[in-house]
Each structure stands twice: as C-alpha cells, then as structure tokens.
C-alpha cells in the first residue's frame, strides 16, 4: 500500500464499492430465484466486500498525510513567518507608546511638576 | 533655503508618502475573515471516520445479536480523523495569519500620545510651538507608516504567492478526505444497512408490525446518513470557493488595490457566507 497515493487508493475503493453494490443489487433483484443457502452466501460475501471497501477509504484518508506533508510544511512556515511579521508590526505601536511615556516624563521634569512625574513613571513601568 | 520652500518640500513629501503608503487591504482582510469563518464550520460537521467506524461495529454486533465483548478497533479511523484535523488546522492558521497581517489597523499607528507628550511651552532654554509639534508628529506617522506599510504590502504579496500552491493542495486533500473518503464511507454504511434490513423486512415469519418497524428503522437511518452526506457536500462547496478566491487573489497579487480584485473577492466572500449558512441549517 506504501507505493499507492491516497487518490489511487480512493479510486480502488470506488471500484470496490461499485462491484459490491452490483453484487447486492443482484441479490435484491433475484431474491425469489435464490435458494436460502445461496442468499446467505451472497449476503455474506457482499458484507465482506463492503467491509473491505470502507477500510480502503480509511486507508486513503490516512495516506493523505504522506501526500500533503510537503504542502503542510510550506504552509506552516508561511504562517509562522506572517505571525512574526504581525508581532513586529504590533511592536511598532508598543515602541511609540513607550516613546510617549518617556516624553511625558521629560515634559513633567522640565515643568517641575512632581505629581506628573509620579504618574508618568507609573505609566512607564505599567 | 527660504522658510516657505521648506514648507512646500514637506507638503510634497507628505503627499507622496500618503499616496504610496495608504494601501487599503480591507478586501483581503474581509476575504480571509470569511475564509476563516467558513472553514471553521468543519467543527460543526456531525460525522467523522471514527464515529462511522463505531456505528459500523455496533451494526455488526446487532446483526450478530451480540452484546458481549463488543470492543471495536477504530484506531485507523482515529488516525484518519487526526490527519484530516491536521490539514484543517494548517488552513485555519494560514487564513488567521493572513487576516491579521492584512488588517489596516495594524499599521495605523496612533501618535496622539506622542503629540500630547510634547506639550507646547517654554521649558527653560527650550521653546516648543504647538503647531510644530503636530507637524513633526504627522510627518513621523507618515514616514513610519510608509515604511511599515510598504514592507507589509510586499511581504503579503510574497506570502500569498508562496502560499497559493500549498493552500490549493491542502484544500484539495481536505476535500478528498471529507467529500471523498468520509462521504463514501457513509455510502458504504448505507449499503450495509440495506444488506441487513432487506431480509428482515421480507421475512414472512415476522409479523407485519415487526417488518414495518424494521422498514421504518431502515429509512430513518438512511435519512440521517444522507443528512451527514449533505453536510459534507455543503462543506465541499466552501472549500471550492476558498480555493477559487485564493487563486484569484494570487493571480492579481501585483495589483492588490485593483477594483476587479476587490469585486472578485467580495463575490467569493458572500459565496462563502451563503455556503456556511446553508451548512449550519442542515
């Protein structure tokens, strides 16, 4: 199974399902002409075919990881890069806010306003 | 240089910076927001690989009239759910990041605090004029925004064009697993139910009431499976719209402010909202 792609396994499963359904339809359409034994046998085989088919769909879904690995790696890198850019751009606002706090403090010192100095320091360290 | 010349130079610089920097990416943000919201309807889907496996296993035990040692091995199906969720989270993370970095508010820096900090007045030997403070503050904002906006715009273009192929691939694989593999597993489940109920409904040893009840059970279970299949089909439409929207964004990436692109993205955005509403109603 290792060499088949997820898409190929899914196509196999689709074909299996068509075959299984054909067998099921044969049983439903010819039920009156089948012996009880034949009916039970076909019913059992039909069931086994359906069980194998559903398993193939699961296999295909698991195999998707191998096929999607490359795309997943690329998208994760791009997402991380854009998250970092977002942080950088958000930091610019932080730097501006910080600069404002420093300037507030400088203005208060120049104006010799003690209460403003206190509140500016509080703003700076908050 | 005479004073008024300096003012004209400032005016020219400010206008040039304003035009080059104010790139409105609202349409990109709106589209990626719609993509996030609609792709997240994944979490409302009522079927999964492991759930289907458990139901199949239960049906097998019911058919065998067995209620003892009914453990089901659904480990492969749990793995299939993990793979599907991994792809979903990859797409969700990308569209979240695109929404955040294309948001105009991101580089719309506020310098009111800065302006208010430098109050006009006479500080010993330093004289500060209020009009100058405002002008310089505005220039700082424009220069800062021009730099960050230009940088941001170029980065977004690179992200979108580099991400397009992996995004298309992941959307395709998510669709393959949900509208392909899971939806068809449900189709197999419908066939298995018919295989089981067919003989019970026809069994003349049972009373008409019992046979009618079996028929009713059968139709009610088929109806529920079809409801789940319709959910998956509706989700598939969402994935296709996102794929088309991102492809259109990528093909016009050099003209991010182009009107045609805005119209196309708005169309995909409203298509996504329509598909999501339809899915949530199912």
């Amino acid at each position: 199974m290792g060499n088949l792609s997820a898409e190929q396994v899914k196509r196999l499963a689709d074909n299996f399902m068509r075959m299984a359904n054909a067998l099921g339809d044969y049983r439903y359409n010819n039920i009156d002409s089948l012996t009880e034994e034949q009916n039970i046998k076909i019913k059992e085989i039909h069931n086994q075919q359906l069980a194998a088919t559903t398993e193939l769909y699961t296999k295909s879904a698991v195999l998707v990881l191998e096929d999607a690995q490359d795309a997943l790696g690329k998208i994760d890198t791009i997402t991380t890069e854009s998250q970092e850019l977002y942080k950088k751009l958000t930091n610019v606002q932080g730097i501006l806010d910080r600069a404002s706090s420093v300037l507030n403090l400088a203005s208060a010192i120049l104006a010799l306003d003690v209460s403003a100095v206190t509140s500016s320091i509080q703003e700076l360290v908050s | 240089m005479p004073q008024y010349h300096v003012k004209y130079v400032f005016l020219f610089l400010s206008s040039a910076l304003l035009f080059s920097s104010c790139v409105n990416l609202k349409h990109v943000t709106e589209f990626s927001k719609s993509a996030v919201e609609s792709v997240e309807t994944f979490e409302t889907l009522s079927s999964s690989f492991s759930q289907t496996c458990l139901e199949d296993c239960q049906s097998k035990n019911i058919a065998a009239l067995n209620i003892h040692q009914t453990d089901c091995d659904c480990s492969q199906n749990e793995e299939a759910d993990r793979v599907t969720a991994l792809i979903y989270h990859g797409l969700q993370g990308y569209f979240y990041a695109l929404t955040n970095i294309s948001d105009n508010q991101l580089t719309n820096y506020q310098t009111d605090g800065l302006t208010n900090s430098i109050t006009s007045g006479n500080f010993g030997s330093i004289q500060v004029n209020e009009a100058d403070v405002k002008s310089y503050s505005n220039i700082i904002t424009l220069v800062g925004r021009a730099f960050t906006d230009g940088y941001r715009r170029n980065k977004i273009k690179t992200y979108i064009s580099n991400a397009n192929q992996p995004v298309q691939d992941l959307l395709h694989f998510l669709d393959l697993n949900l509208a392909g593999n899971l939806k068809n597993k449900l189709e197999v489940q419908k066939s298995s139910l018919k295989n089981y109920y067919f003989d019970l409904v026809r069994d003349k040893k049972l009373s008409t009431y019992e046979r009618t009840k079996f028929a009713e059970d059968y139709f009610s279970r088929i109806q529920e499976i079809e409801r789940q299949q319709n959910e998956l089909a509706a989700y598939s439409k969402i994935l296709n719209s996102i794929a088309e929207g991102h492809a259109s964004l990528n093909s016009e990436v050099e003209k991010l402010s182009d009107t045609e692109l805005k119209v196309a993205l708005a169309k995909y955005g409203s298509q996504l909202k329509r598909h999501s509403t339809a899915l949530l109603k199912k």
Side-chain angles (χ1 to χ4, degrees):
Chain A
M1 199 67 75
N3 295 328
L4 293 176
S5 71
E7 315 249 9
Q8 286 170 323
V9 176
K10 188 205 164 263
R11 273 203 296 277
L12 273 178
D14 290 343
N15 288 332
F16 261 67
M17 183 152 70
R18 270 193 287 275
M19 285 191 283
N21 284 344
L23 186 66
D25 287 342
Y26 174 81
R27 184 168 85 92
Y28 308 139
N29 294 332
N30 299 287
I31 191 73
D32 294 326
S33 57
L34 294 173
T35 64
E36 199 180 333
E37 202 180 328
Q38 284 171 330
N39 182 38
I40 291 170
K41 191 71 197 159
I42 297 174
K43 181 181 178 176
E44 202 182 298
I45 295 170
H46 183 212
N47 235 336
Q48 285 166 356
Q49 282 185 347
L50 291 171
T53 307
T54 198
E55 216 171 294
L56 278 175
Y57 282 122
T58 306
K59 282 248 184 290
S60 165
V62 173
L63 276 176
V64 156
L65 184 62
E66 277 179 34
D67 300 349
Q69 202 71 265
D70 188 41
L72 269 174
K74 281 182 187 158
I75 214 72
D76 279 351
T77 309
I78 293 165
T79 303
T80 311
E81 276 176 21
S82 37
Q83 280 166 341
E84 279 163 9
L85 173 66
Y86 178 71
K87 271 190 216 153
K88 270 190 215 164
L89 295 176
T90 316
N91 274 348
V92 175
Q93 183 66 61
I95 290 161
L96 285 174
D97 291 345
R98 201 93 180 144
S100 309
S101 305
V102 173
L103 278 167
N104 263 330
L105 181 62
S107 315
I109 291 168
L110 285 167
L112 293 173
D113 185 343
V114 179
S115 63
V117 169
T118 317
S119 62
S120 294
I121 289 172
Q122 277 171 348
E123 202 182 311
L124 196 57
V125 296
S126 63
Chain B
M1 190 185 284
Q3 191 70 30
Y4 63 90
H5 277 165
V6 175
K7 282 186 180 167
Y8 284 130
V9 170
F10 264 131
L11 193 68
F12 171 75
L13 265 175
S14 311
S15 317
L17 285 166
L18 193 70
F19 282 117
S20 67
S21 66
C22 290
V23 175
N24 193 346
L25 297 175
K26 198 176 166 206
H27 52 298
V28 179
T29 319
E30 291 292 320
F31 167 71
S32 43
K33 249 188 206 168
S34 304
V36 167
E37 280 164 13
S38 51
V39 87
E40 281 183 343
T41 51
F42 171 84
E43 287 166 33
T44 68
L45 296 174
S46 55
S47 54
S48 69
F49 285 93
S50 42
Q51 183 60 32
T52 310
C53 172
L54 285 172
E55 285 165 3
D56 287 346
C57 179
Q58 199 179 40
S59 295
K60 212 179 284 173
N61 282 316
I62 291 172
L65 298 173
N66 175 39
I67 56 163
H68 181 59
Q69 290 178 337
T70 55
D71 289 349
C72 307
D73 178 14
C74 289
S75 53
Q76 275 296 296
N77 286 281
E78 284 162 13
E79 182 61 17
D81 282 329
R82 271 195 293 275
V83 169
T84 312
L86 197 68
I87 297 171
Y88 157 68
H89 286 302
L91 286 165
Q92 185 197 31
Y94 167 72
F95 281 108
Y96 259 119
L98 186 59
T99 306
N100 286 339
I101 56 165
S102 61
D103 187 353
N104 289 322
Q105 293 301 313
L106 186 59
T107 45
N108 193 11
Y109 302 118
Q110 302 300 312
T111 51
D112 292 353
L114 200 65
T115 316
N116 294 338
S117 299
I118 317 168
T119 47
S120 60
N122 190 345
F123 304 102
S125 59
I126 308 163
Q127 282 195 349
V128 183
N129 173 289
E130 195 181 342
D132 288 343
V133 170
K134 281 194 178 145
S135 306
Y136 286 119
S137 175
N138 287 340
I139 294 293
I140 289 168
T141 313
L142 279 170
V143 172
R145 185 160 187 203
F147 174 73
T148 49
D149 235 9
Y151 177 70
R152 181 173 71 121
R153 190 180 56 220
N154 288 333
K155 280 283 185 188
I156 290 175
K157 280 182 185 175
T158 312
Y159 292 151
I160 292 171
S161 58
N162 287 348
N164 191 52
Q165 196 49 55
V167 162
Q168 299 295 334
D169 289 348
L170 292 182
L171 287 166
H172 167 74
F173 286 128
L174 191 55
D175 196 40
L176 174 69
N177 264 11
L178 295 171
N181 290 320
L182 182 55
K183 191 165 169 260
N184 284 356
K185 260 181 95 75
L186 292 169
E187 197 59 37
V188 174
Q189 198 175 55
K190 279 160 66 181
S191 297
S192 298
L193 288 172
K194 188 169 179 181
N195 176 297
Y196 171 64
Y197 280 101
F198 181 78
D199 297 287
L200 293 172
V201 174
R202 289 189 85 257
D203 193 342
K204 293 199 171 111
K205 282 179 261 165
L206 300 171
S207 69
T208 309
Y209 175 78
E210 285 168 320
R211 290 167 65 190
T212 311
K213 275 287 156 202
F214 277 126
E216 276 176 10
D217 280 357
Y218 169 73
F219 285 117
S220 123
R221 290 193 65 182
I222 293 293
Q223 202 176 8
E224 173 55 19
I225 294 170
E226 281 175 354
R227 189 193 61 76
Q228 292 174 332
Q229 287 182 314
N230 289 340
E231 269 185 0
L232 295 170
Y235 194 69
S236 177
K237 281 185 188 165
I238 288 177
L239 297 179
N240 285 327
S241 291
I242 297 177
E244 285 172 22
H246 199 278
S248 140
L249 183 58
N250 179 52
S251 64
E252 300 293 328
V253 79
E254 287 307 320
K255 298 176 276 175
L256 272 182
S257 302
D258 194 85
T259 314
E260 273 180 36
L261 176 64
K262 285 180 188 171
V263 173
L265 287 184
K267 187 189 87 183
Y268 290 117
S270 54
Q271 224 175 57
L272 285 171
K273 279 186 190 123
R274 216 173 37 248
H275 293 328
S276 304
T277 314
L279 191 151
L280 293 170
K281 274 185 191 162
K282 287 190 192 299

